[in-house]
Amino acid sequence: MITKGYTITSAQGMHARPATQLVKLAKEFSATISIKKGDKTVKMNSLLNILLLSIKSGETVALIIDGADEVSAAVAIDIFFTDTLKHL
Amino acid sequence: MKGIGVSPGIAVGRAFVIKKSAPATNGIVLQSKEEIAAETERFNTAVLNALAEIEAIKNSSQLMLNDDEIGILETQVELINDPQIREDVLAKIETEYNTANDAMIAVTAGIVALFESMDDEYMRARSADFQDIGNRILKYINRNGETNNRSSFAPDTIIIADDLTPSDTITLDLNLVTGFATQAGSKTSHAAIIAKSKGLPAVVACGDELMNINHNDFIILDGLSGFVYVNPDEATIRKYSAKSASFRQQADLYRNVKHLPAITADGTQIKLLANISSADDMDMVFDNSGEGVGLFRTEMLFMDRDTFPDEEEQFEFYKKAVISAAGYPVTIRTIDIGGDKHLPYFNLPAELNPFLGYRAIRISLDQEALFLLQLKAILRAAAFGEVSIMFPMISNIKEIRDAKAILEKAKKELIAAGTAFDANIKVGIMVEIPSAAITADILAKEVDFFSIGTNDLCQYTLAVDRMNEKINHLYDPFNPGVLRLIHNVIEQGRLHNIHVGMCGEMASDSLATLLLLGMGLQEFSMSAASIPTIKNSIINTNIARAKQICADVMKMESSESITAYLKETTL
C-alpha cells in the first residue's frame, strides 16, 4: 500500500473536470485507489463521491493506493497532482 | 427584465421557449423477484442507452465539439457510470421494492439536496448537473431506448428555458442559436460555462417572469448588463443593433486571435503576459488568452490599511494569485512604494524629488526586516506554481547583490523553520533606470532575467516628470535615446543568454510592437485587455520585416520621423 499527500493547486479546486480526469485515470489500474480529505475517505471510482468531498484549492488530501500495480498507479497519480492538475 | 449577464454580447432574434415537466413517481411497490429483476434490468439498459447516446455524440465529427464540450461529455459519462449512484438505485429497487423510475427519482433528489446544501457556489451549481443526469437516465427508463434527434432551429433563435443542462447542449443544436436566457442558474452553472465557451451572449437567473415569454416573441438580450427586452420598441431595437455591430467587430478580432498562438508569420513564438494587481485579475488574463503574469504588482496589498501585512497575510495574497494562474508563470515584483505611492502607516518623509528619492528597492534594502517578510512570503507562495521574483528600481550591481543576499537569508530562515518553498526561484530586475539599461551587460551576470519598465525608464532618461502636464509632450518613448537604451537591454540579454521581457506601457502600444520584435523582444506584458490587439499585430507580421523596421528606425534622428514612419509601415 502506498500513501501520499498532496495540496490541491488548481484554482477552482477539485471541480468536475479534474475530478473526471482523475476517475478516468484511476480506472486504468487494477489497484484500489482512495482519496481522503479530513476524516472522510472515498474510492476514486465514483465521481459523485469525489465531488461530495468538496475539495478546494489549497486544501490537502491523501491518496491511498493498494494493489498489484500500485507503484505505476502512484507514479501516474503523482504526475496528475503535481503537473496535470495545475492546467485544469 | 434583468438577470445576470454571463457571456458578453448582444443577441437579437426570435424566442424559442423550452418548457420541461418534472419527472413524476408512480408509487408502485414491486411484488416479486421477477419484477425486481425486470426493474434492475430496466435500469441497467437505461444506463447503457444513455452512455451509447453520449458516445455517439462524442464521436460525431460533424458537430465539431470544442474541448470544453468534450470535457462536459466525459463528466456525463462518468456520472452515468457512477458506481455509487448505481449502488443506491439498485438498493432501492432490491430492498425497498421501488420501480427503477421511483428509485432513480429518489436517489437523484437525495444527491441534489446534498449539493444544494454546500457552502461553495460552484458546488451548489453542480446540483443542476446531477438533476440532469437523473432526468437523462429516467428518460431511458421510461422510453426503452429510443434516442432523441437533435432539435434544430431557424437562424437567429434565442432560447428561453428554465435552465440549460448538459443534456440540452447535447440535444439542442446550439450552432444556430444566437443567444439564450434562463430562469435559473448562476455564474458557474452549466449554461454560463457553455455560453462562454461558444461565445454566445447569455443571461441567467432572470426569474419567473422569463417564462411569460411566448414562442416567436422578439427578444433582445445583453449578455454583459443582463438586460432582456421582450418585443422592444423601435428606438431600443435601433440602439441595440448599433451596439451589437460594434461589439461584434471587437469580438471578431478577439475570437479570431483568441485561440491562435502568438506566433509571427515566420514562426517565432512570442509570449504575451499580463500585468495584474491581485488574484481577481486572473479571469481577465485568461479571457484574453494571456499566458501568465509578467508583472504582479504587490502594492495593492499594502495600501488602504493601517499596518504592514504580516508574512502569513502576504503569503495568502501571493498564493491566491499563483494558484489562480494555474501553472502559468507569475513574476512577482517586490514592493514599489515611494515616488507617487504612499502608505498611511509608513512615514515617508516629504521629499523635493520623490521620484529620485527614497522608494522601491531603496526602501526594501534599508528596512531589511520588512523586506525579509515579503521575500519569505513570496518564496512560500512559489511552491504553488511557476514563480519568479523581481526587484524594482535597480541602479547598480551592489543593489542586486544585497537584495540576493537577503533572499538567501530568507531561504535559510524558511529551511530552519521547516517551511515549504521554492529554493530555485528565478531572480530578475526591472530595468527602468538609465544606468541599469546602459550597464545591462554587467547586470546580466547577476540575474536570470530583465523586465524593461518603460514608464520610469522614459521619465528618467528624458528628465521628464510624467505627472507634469506642461512638459507632457517631452515624455516620449519613441525618443531615439530611449529606444537605444531599450535596444541595448534586449541585445545584452540575448548575448548573455538571459530572458528579457517588457512590462511598461510600451508593451501594449501597437505602434511599437513591430519595432520591439525587430529589436529581438520576445515577451510582452501588459493589461489583459490589450493582449488581443498586440497578438493581432504579431500574427500578421514576420521577424524579417520587423528587423528591417528596427534597422530603419535606429538610423532616424527624431521621434517625429520615427512615429510617422511606424504609423505608415505598421498600422
Side-chain angles (χ1 to χ4, degrees), chain A residues 6-72:
Chain A
Y6 294 99
T7 300
I8 303 301
T9 52
S10 64
Q12 288 168 285
M14 190 57 82
H15 63 120
R17 193 163 182 185
T20 300
Q21 300 300 322
L22 195 56
V23 172
K24 283 179 70 181
L25 182 68
K27 280 188 182 165
E28 291 171 21
F29 301 95
S30 68
T32 303
I33 306 175
S34 310
I35 183 164
K36 181 170 187 247
K37 182 190 141 185
D39 52 3
K40 281 190 213 143
T41 306
V42 301
K43 278 194 193 149
M44 203 110 93
N45 62 3
S46 168
L47 183 53
L48 168 64
N49 286 337
I50 294 177
L51 289 176
L52 280 174
L53 286 180
S54 187
I55 302 164
K56 300 190 183 70
S57 182
E59 291 186 335
T60 51
V61 294
L63 271 289
I64 303 127
I65 308 159
D66 191 13
D69 56 357
E70 61 187 29
V71 174
S72 43

Side-chain angles (χ1 to χ4, degrees), chain B residues 95-157:
Chain B
T95 62
E96 296 177 31
Y97 311 114
N98 281 344
T99 57
N101 177 70
D102 289 9
M104 193 70 225
I105 290 174
V107 168
T108 307
I111 297 170
V112 166
L114 273 177
F115 277 92
E116 276 176 348
S117 69
M118 286 194 176
D119 58 358
D120 175 288
E121 189 199 343
Y122 173 83
M123 285 298 169
R124 270 201 304 279
R126 301 286 70 72
S127 61
D129 296 358
F130 280 95
Q131 184 67 63
D132 182 47
I133 288 293
N135 290 351
R136 199 164 173 72
I137 298 175
L138 272 176
K139 187 182 85 183
Y140 284 103
I141 286 175
N142 294 319
R143 266 197 233 153
N144 289 324
E146 68 193 75
T147 52
N148 268 5
N149 288 323
R150 281 164 73 90
S151 13
S152 71
F153 303 101
D156 293 334
T157 293

Side-chain angles (χ1 to χ4, degrees), chain B residues 122 132 255 335 351 369 423 444 452 478 482:
Chain B
Y122 173 83
D132 182 47
R255 235 196 316 280
I335 194 166
E351 298 181 46
I452 306 172
F478 293 99
V482 178

Side-chain angles (χ1 to χ4, degrees), chain B residues 427-481:
Chain B
V427 176
I429 58 166
M430 294 273 296
V431 178
E432 53 191 336
I433 295 181
S435 64
I438 294 164
T439 58
D441 57 325
I442 300 173
L443 305 187
K445 295 170 194 153
E446 279 292 327
V447 293
D448 300 312
F449 66 92
F450 288 147
S451 184
I452 306 172
T454 53
N455 305 2
D456 273 337
L457 184 61
C458 194
Q459 102 164 332
Y460 291 136
T461 305
L462 303 172
V464 173
D465 179 350
R466 57 186 153 115
M467 310 292 171
N468 186 335
E469 284 176 20
K470 259 200 152 148
I471 50 169
N472 219 313
H473 61 284
L474 292 174
Y475 179 84
D476 180 3
F478 293 99
N479 178 298

